Amino acid sequence: EKGGYDHFMLKEIFEQPSTVFDCLRGRVDAANGTITMAGVEANIDILKNAPRILIIACGTSWHAGLLAEYIFEELCRTPVEVEYASEFRYRNPIVNKGDVIIAVSQSGETADTLVAIEKAKEQGALIFGIVNVVGSSIARVSQAGAYTHAGPEIGVASTKAFTAQLAVLTIIALKLGYEKGTLDNKRFLHLMNELQDIPEKIPAALNQAEHVKQLAYKYKDARDFLYLGRGYNFPIALEGALKLKEISYIHAEGYPAAEMKHGPIALVDENLPVVFIATKDSYHEKIISNIQEIKARKGKVIAVITEGDDVIAKMADDVIEVPAADELVAPMLSVIPMQLLAYYIGVAKGLDVDKPRNLAKSVTVE
Ligand code: F6R
């Protein structure tokens, strides 16, 4: 059932060209310039007029939600808040009629997320579920939704469900931005094409697996890791750190790259590997300065870069290349090395990567 792979996690990482493709199929038609998504179409007026969108999730799904905040605000100009379900449900949250709640969950059974949306539903919000498991509790409580169609995810660490969540959230943002008129036709078509090209670009990111495995052996004995990114790649820094913690039991922190000088930079010395997610985007010059700040303090820099980026390649200790893509969709590529690095470090340390200690696939207790 592992299809020739050593672990479910690796199998699921390598499934991503087809899972993202399946997620887009029948929804995004760049050639004709159309997006079809029944759950969005049926509620288009509520979505267009929503004064606010609240995204509620936990863990990796929360990271997808954080990235969606950036994308929705850019394309739809609707204010978005991203909430940890466990915090939201216990603090007398403000929910107004007309607000839209997007719940993101792979399992559809996460207790905190489920209770949070039940509460918000009572307060008059529309609940839109983005769920992988068909017919799950969160899918049933939602009044509208879109499945991620990533297929069963067995490895405890979420991988293919995450890229599918990003794909669905991006499709919704594109559709809504277009309908609201906040996204012009040219950019709409451009982004649709960029999104549709992602499944064909993922294999090039996966081709780095052997190289990432070598890096895993080089860095596996580090005590701590720092993961830094800016803009659309900041949530990917958080996700990279979470993957490493859960699979390799190495302490890791994700931070916005510019925030590092407000504290975490004190951690940097020659023993600290710092992973930069530094693909070519509108933050490129800024993140180059951040890399220099780490190098000046003798930190070891592992940079995820866009293919052919010689500038960062010269500065970094090690690089992992991913194909070029528009910055809005690039995280679906830059997260692949994060998944592979955590996986291979876990394997290098002889750990049970499919079933990390203390973790369960779905957290049905609060
Ligand atoms: C991390 C991971 C968890 C889940 C979280 C939410 O790899 O798997 O952080 O993302 O427990 O689970 P779902 O998405 O099922 O609600």
Side-chain angles (χ1 to χ4, degrees):
E1 358 91 77
K2 289 180 198 153
Y5 291 95
D6 289 343
H7 299 95
F8 283 110
M9 183 177 175
L10 191 63
K11 170 176 177 267
E12 288 160 4
I13 291 171
F14 273 82
E15 273 172 4
Q16 289 174 107
S18 64
T19 51
V20 175
F21 180 83
D22 288 343
C23 179
L24 302 178
R25 186 178 35 206
R27 290 172 167 168
V28 178
D29 182 349
N32 289 305
T34 54
I35 288 181
T36 313
M37 197 171 249
V40 174
E41 282 146 33
N43 297 287
I44 194 67
D45 289 328
I46 298 175
L47 284 160
K48 272 166 77 173
N49 296 320
R52 208 164 60 121
I53 295 174
L54 279 152
I55 302 178
I56 297 179
C58 303
T60 288
S61 298
W62 187 90
H63 295 152
L66 184 62
L67 185 49
E69 172 182 15
Y70 287 32
I71 296 175
F72 272 87
E73 292 198 343
E74 169 67 14
L75 302 183
C76 313
R77 310 308 296 163
T78 306
V80 176
E81 280 167 59
V82 189
E83 299 266 4
Y84 290 110
S86 56
E87 287 296 314
F88 178 86
R89 64 180 281 202
Y90 285 112
R91 65 176 174 82
N92 190 14
I94 299 171
V95 179
N96 298 314
K97 207 173 162 7
D99 285 347
V100 170
I101 307 271
I102 299 181
V104 187
S105 176
Q106 188 287 126
S107 62
E109 301 297 346
T110 300
D112 281 325
T113 308
L114 181 61
V115 177
I117 62 172
E118 280 169 344
K119 265 185 118 171
K121 193 176 174 181
E122 282 166 22
Q123 290 171 264
L126 174 80
I127 313 296
F128 192 102
I130 297 180
V131 172
N132 196 42
V133 177
V134 176
S136 54
S137 303
I138 292 170
R140 280 183 279 120
V141 170
S142 300
Q143 292 130 311
Y147 283 115
T148 39
H149 297 309
E153 192 178 64
I154 313 284
V156 162
S158 189
T159 54
K160 64 176 181 172
F162 178 72
T163 42
Q165 289 165 347
L166 293 184
V168 169
L169 286 158
T170 307
I171 299 170
I172 297 170
L174 283 170
K175 176 102 185 158
L176 184 57
Y178 182 78
E179 294 290 337
K180 276 187 83 173
T182 47
L183 171 60
D184 67 54
N185 203 36
K186 188 163 163 246
R187 195 173 182 203
F188 176 67
L189 287 173
H190 167 73
L191 287 171
M192 248 201 285
N193 276 295
E194 284 287 313
L195 182 57
Q196 216 167 48
D197 288 347
I198 290 292
E200 289 160 32
K201 291 179 181 174
I202 294 175
L206 293 169
N207 277 342
Q208 299 289 306
E210 275 306 310
H211 171 56
V212 175
K213 188 174 177 180
Q214 286 168 6
L215 296 181
Y217 279 88
K218 178 172 171 185
Y219 290 105
K220 72 176 174 52
D221 296 318
R223 196 191 55 183
D224 312 279
F225 269 72
L226 202 54
Y227 283 74
L228 302 175
R230 304 179 73 120
Y232 301 103
N233 276 325
F234 162 51
I236 301 305
L238 297 181
E239 175 61 6
L242 177 61
K243 288 285 94 98
L244 189 72
K245 277 181 275 206
E246 61 183 335
I247 298 305
S248 75
Y249 314 153
I250 295 175
H251 167 249
E253 280 191 62
Y255 248 85
E259 194 59 24
M260 140 193 107
K261 61 173 77 65
H262 300 284
I265 199 159
L267 297 167
V268 180
D269 64 14
E270 66 280 4
N271 298 316
L272 184 75
V274 183
V275 178
F276 274 92
I277 301 97
T279 49
K280 273 194 182 152
D281 55 23
S282 46
Y283 303 85
H284 196 242
E285 292 302 315
K286 297 281 176 201
I287 206 153
I288 287 174
S289 319
N290 299 136
I291 293 175
Q292 283 161 340
E293 288 157 8
I294 296 292
K295 284 312 304 171
R297 287 158 186 88
K298 302 193 169 53
K300 298 282 178 287
V301 170
I302 306 163
V304 175
I305 59 170
T306 304
E307 281 168 359
D309 182 348
D310 299 330
V311 177
I312 297 185
K314 284 201 189 85
M315 303 164 57
D317 294 85
D318 291 289
V319 295
I320 307 167
E321 292 191 323
V322 292
D326 187 285
E327 64 181 358
L328 261 89
V329 298
M332 282 179 261
L333 301 171
S334 56
V335 74
I336 308 270
M338 304 293 99
Q339 300 168 345
L340 289 169
L341 187 62
Y343 171 77
Y344 284 116
I345 291 181
V347 170
K349 294 178 89 92
L351 301 172
D352 184 355
V353 293
D354 277 340
K355 285 200 176 62
R357 68 186 180 201
N358 308 340
L359 291 169
K361 185 61 189 160
S362 65
V363 184
T364 52
V365 292
E366 68 164 273

